[in-house]
Amino acid sequence: MYVSVVVALVGAGLASAQQNNVNSKAVPPDKAVLDRLNLKTEWTLYLPVEGTRDSLAQIQTIDDQVFVQTRAGFLVAVDALTGRIQWAARLGNGSYGNAYPVAANSQFVFCAHVTKLYAFYRYTGAT
């Protein structure tokens, strides 16, 4: 189940990267393509990016959450079962930096961006 969710997010990210029109939305993969790979779409989600330089940098599934990071320093926690955004946080001042994988335990999510380490409550996003 988690594989299809990640494929849908990555597919949507790749589709938007291939289009030159900034105002157009990404399109999920066709059902025929997913059927050929024996996958199905559980949900789709559109995440905004900041301009043409920004993109999805990291997508991780940890237990029942999907964590998505953009190059511009935006971290989004998504419920892996429903696709509902649980919380989102801006890391730093919007500077482009390396997106390191998040780490999580039962209570917290840890994320490094440029030179700072952030700790968020896992299900509320409070720092």
Side-chain angles (χ1 to χ4, degrees):
M1 196 287 251
Y2 294 121
V3 174
S4 63
V5 170
V6 173
V7 169
L9 285 172
V10 171
L14 292 176
S16 65
Q18 293 172 352
Q19 297 174 356
N20 292 330
N21 186 356
V22 176
N23 295 325
S24 64
K25 286 195 173 183
V27 179
D30 291 331
K31 185 172 177 2
V33 173
L34 293 174
D35 288 343
R36 182 174 51 87
L37 298 171
N38 198 26
L39 297 172
K40 67 178 184 172
T41 303
E42 292 290 329
W43 48 264
T44 58
L45 176 66
Y46 293 104
L47 294 174
V49 292
E50 294 181 356
T52 57
R53 287 187 57 205
D54 196 9
S55 64
L56 302 182
Q58 290 273 345
I59 302 171
Q60 292 175 259
T61 302
I62 301 176
D63 299 329
D64 60 345
Q65 289 178 296
V66 177
F67 295 97
V68 181
Q69 295 179 68
T70 66
R71 286 187 58 230
F74 196 58
L75 175 65
V76 181
V78 179
D79 186 324
L81 299 176
T82 64
R84 185 183 61 82
I85 294 177
Q86 295 174 328
W87 54 269
R90 160 78 61 202
L91 306 175
N93 59 0
S95 61
Y96 290 88
N98 292 334
Y100 300 102
V102 299
N105 61 24
S106 63
Q107 291 184 325
F108 298 101
V109 174
F110 303 95
C111 182
H113 181 72
V114 186
T115 60
K116 291 187 178 180
L117 176 65
Y118 296 87
F120 301 98
Y121 279 98
R122 186 163 173 178
Y123 293 99
T124 64
T127 55

